[in-house]
Amino acid sequence: MSGPRFDVITLFPDQFPNLVEMGVVGRAFKKQLFELNCWNPRDFTEDPHRTVDDRPYGGGPGMVMLAEPLVRCLKAIRDARGDNAPVVFLTPHGPLLKQADIRGLSAQGQGAIFLCGRYEGIDQRFIDDYVEQTYCLGDFVLSGGELAVACFVDAWVRLLPDVLNHALSATQDSFESGLLDCPHYTRPEVFENKAVPDVLLSGNHAKIESWRFEQAKAYTRRYRPELLDQTDKSVKKA
């Protein structure tokens, strides 16, 4: 296995098999371009009930994931990996996850250890002492971290060499250049009285690239104008 290794700490490992069975990620998994392992903290408990949560100090609704099973689980992962891959936690407390963050982690080559939260939260002492990087998918709340981690892994895997059919596909995606992707068209040439833009039928690749760039800027200005502001600031700094 020469690709990255992903280890996921999760109380619901059955949520992950579908991720590696279908589509781009499924093909990459079958070609052994990356490794995915799920670790259940319940397997690292020491009581007959395999307890992984308890009531929060101070009262209030919900339960909190215990630190002790998580520490034992993480130690077993570290022993199995034999490296210093970062522990990543998807949480509302983290900065918004960006394409550049995933590219940066991907460039390190070793993968990551993902922590999936559940219930009301995780004992803060585990987060303080063992979590190294935090990210947030957006201003909304999920029932657990599994879906967020699946999104992270999907976005990461498609950046790996030999995953996509065309090597340039990932580099032309939205956010790669700081812009949204341009609009795309395919057959038929006319659909419901709307024709494909003439420039795309011209065969003039220079004009096509110029049109696509201008369309990408126009789409970004219309739908995500803050991205243009960020791009302008980056250019000025350079």
Side-chain angles (χ1 to χ4, degrees):
M1 178 69 64
S2 58
R5 169 173 171 161
F6 303 116
D7 290 277
V8 184
I9 301 174
T10 171
L11 295 175
F12 297 93
D14 289 343
Q15 288 202 21
F16 285 92
N18 285 342
L19 178 65
V20 296
E21 290 177 358
M22 298 178 290
V24 169
V25 176
R27 292 196 298 271
F29 186 72
K30 289 181 176 67
K31 291 195 291 185
Q32 298 186 333
L33 298 180
F34 73 97
E35 182 179 345
L36 178 68
N37 304 290
C38 291
W39 302 72
N40 193 332
R42 292 190 187 280
D43 296 332
F44 298 88
T45 56
E46 296 182 338
D47 68 301
H49 301 291
R50 304 177 74 203
T51 305
V52 293
D53 62 332
D54 206 340
R55 296 184 181 280
Y57 280 117
M63 304 290 278
V64 177
M65 291 180 68
L66 296 166
E68 288 177 313
L70 293 174
V71 171
R72 297 189 195 103
C73 182
L74 179 58
K75 184 180 185 304
I77 294 172
R78 288 289 189 205
D79 290 343
R81 292 185 62 105
D83 63 14
N84 61 346
V87 177
V88 179
F89 181 35
L90 278 296
T91 168
H93 300 109
L96 187 64
L97 179 63
K98 302 290 184 66
Q99 185 74 4
D101 298 321
I102 299 174
R103 273 212 172 272
L105 285 165
S106 179
Q108 297 175 16
Q110 60 187 350
I113 301 169
F114 289 103
L115 172 63
C116 296
R118 277 279 164 175
Y119 312 128
E120 193 66 22
I122 295 173
D123 191 307
Q124 188 63 38
R125 292 167 292 188
F126 179 84
I127 297 173
D128 291 342
D129 290 345
Y130 296 97
V131 171
E132 296 161 89
Q133 298 185 34
T134 59
Y135 297 101
C136 176
L137 290 193
D139 295 342
F140 56 93
V141 178
L142 297 170
S143 299
E146 286 78 11
L147 288 175
V149 168
C151 289
F152 203 129
V153 171
D154 185 292
W156 188 325
V157 168
R158 66 191 313 279
L159 296 178
L160 300 177
D162 302 321
V163 169
L164 300 180
N165 291 329
H166 198 296
L168 293 178
S169 293
T171 63
Q172 296 177 353
D173 283 338
S174 292
F175 310 116
E176 285 291 341
S177 64
L179 303 175
L180 298 181
D181 197 4
C182 65
H184 299 279
Y185 300 85
T186 188
R187 294 179 177 83
E189 189 174 319
V190 178
F191 175 70
E192 294 185 344
N193 296 321
K194 293 182 179 179
V196 174
D198 291 338
V199 65
L200 298 179
L201 306 175
S202 69
N204 187 320
H205 296 293
K207 286 185 177 181
I208 291 172
E209 287 305 308
S210 177
W211 179 88
R212 285 175 170 165
F213 178 66
E214 293 302 322
Q215 289 292 309
K217 287 199 299 183
Y219 264 51
T220 306
R221 187 175 296 109
R222 178 178 179 182
Y223 297 108
R224 295 289 302 277
E226 77 279 8
L227 294 178
L228 282 177
D229 295 338
Q230 294 170 11
T231 302
D232 291 341
K233 289 178 182 178
S234 298
V235 171
K236 290 177 182 177
K237 287 182 181 178

